[in-house]
Amino acid sequence: MSTVDRLRCNREAQQIAKRAFAEVARQICPGMTEREIKRRVEMLLVQYGSDSFWRYGIGATVHVGPRTTLSGSTRTYRVTDLAVQPNDCVVMDLAPSRSFYWGDYARTVFLEEGRPITEPEELTILAFREGLEAEIELHRALRRVARPDMTFAELYWRMSEELRKLGFENLDFSRNLGHSVELDAKNRRFIDENCHQPLSACEAFTFEPHIRRPTGRYGFKREDMYAFGKGGKLEVL
C-alpha cells in the first residue's frame, strides 16, 4: 500500500473520531458523568466504523473538571462517576482504529451556564477562553515551524518555548507533545527531548499539547494528526 493510501486510511479513522466527538459534545450537560460520556462516544466510534480501539482496547479517555489536569498511560486509566458541573470543562481523547489504521483526536468541551461550547469566541469565562486560545495558537505555531528535516527533539524544544511564552505548562506525564503514527503502537516515536530522528522518518504524527496555567484548576488538550504534503507543507488529516 502506498503512503497516499495509508494516509487515506488514517484520515478515514480521524473522520470517525471527529464525527463521534462532535455528536457527543453537543449532548454534554450538567449531571452527565465521565462514565456516561465515555460510553456514548465509544458506541458512536463503533457505529461510525471503528472496528477496534488501538490504545489498550480503550476507545476514549474522558476527564471532567479538576481531573482534566491528570495525565498517565491509557493502560492505567480508570473512568469515574464524576459529574459535569454547569461551569466546567471536559477533555475527550479518542482512539478509534479501522483496519489497523488509527485515528487519534482530542478536544476540550467547555460548559458555561450548562451550555456546551467548543469555539473560543463563544466563551466568557476568561480561564476557559485563554486555555482554548492557547491550544489553537500552539497548533498554528506548529504549522509555521515544522519541517520534514526537523527532528522530533528540535520540534519539542521549539513548541515547548511557544508554550512557555503563552504562560502555560506541559502536563503530559512523560513530557512529550505528540508521537508518530504507526501500525504498532510500540513503534511510536515521541515529540520529546530524546528523539533525534527527523519528522520525515514517519508518514504522519500527532500534536497533542496537554496544558494548564501553572496555578490553574483545569487542564486543556487539543490533538490533531499531521502529515507533510507537497512541497513539505504540513497538513491536518
Side-chain angles (χ1 to χ4, degrees), residues 39-60:
R39 179 183 60 81
R40 288 191 185 197
V41 76
E42 288 185 337
M43 287 177 62
L44 286 172
L45 291 174
V46 173
Q47 180 179 324
Y48 294 148
S50 177
D51 51 31
S52 63
F53 300 142
W54 67 267
R55 212 162 47 207
Y56 306 109
I58 295 175

Side-chain angles (χ1 to χ4, degrees), residues 17-104:
K18 292 176 182 180
R19 188 178 175 190
F21 168 84
E23 184 164 340
V24 172
R26 292 191 296 267
Q27 300 172 359
I28 293 176
C29 60
M32 189 176 287
T33 66
E34 283 184 354
R35 194 179 308 277
E36 183 176 359
I37 296 168
K38 180 178 185 294
R39 179 183 60 81
R40 288 191 185 197
V41 76
E42 288 185 337
M43 287 177 62
L44 286 172
L45 291 174
V46 173
Q47 180 179 324
Y48 294 148
S50 177
D51 51 31
S52 63
F53 300 142
W54 67 267
R55 212 162 47 207
Y56 306 109
I58 295 175
T61 57
V62 178
H63 292 94
V64 167
R67 279 175 46 83
T68 55
T69 63
L70 298 181
S71 177
S73 169
T74 304
R75 192 197 313 264
T76 61
Y77 172 73
R78 297 292 182 272
V79 70
T80 76
D81 290 309
L82 183 64
V84 176
Q85 301 302 306
N87 295 297
D88 212 343
C89 63
V90 179
V91 171
M92 280 191 278
D93 193 341
L94 310 184
S97 182
R98 182 182 175 91
S99 300
F100 304 106
Y101 289 89
W102 305 352
D104 204 356

Side-chain angles (χ1 to χ4, degrees), residues 142-175:
L142 173 77
R143 293 192 293 273
R144 287 196 302 269
V145 308
R147 308 181 312 275
D149 62 346
M150 176 180 278
T151 68
F152 283 84
E154 288 170 337
L155 183 61
Y156 169 79
W157 288 116
R158 287 290 298 273
M159 300 314 302
S160 293
E161 177 60 16
E162 293 288 339
L163 199 162
R164 185 194 65 79
K165 288 192 294 187
L166 289 167
F168 286 80
E169 63 181 358
N170 181 1
L171 291 175
D172 187 81
F173 74 103
S174 60
R175 308 300 299 165

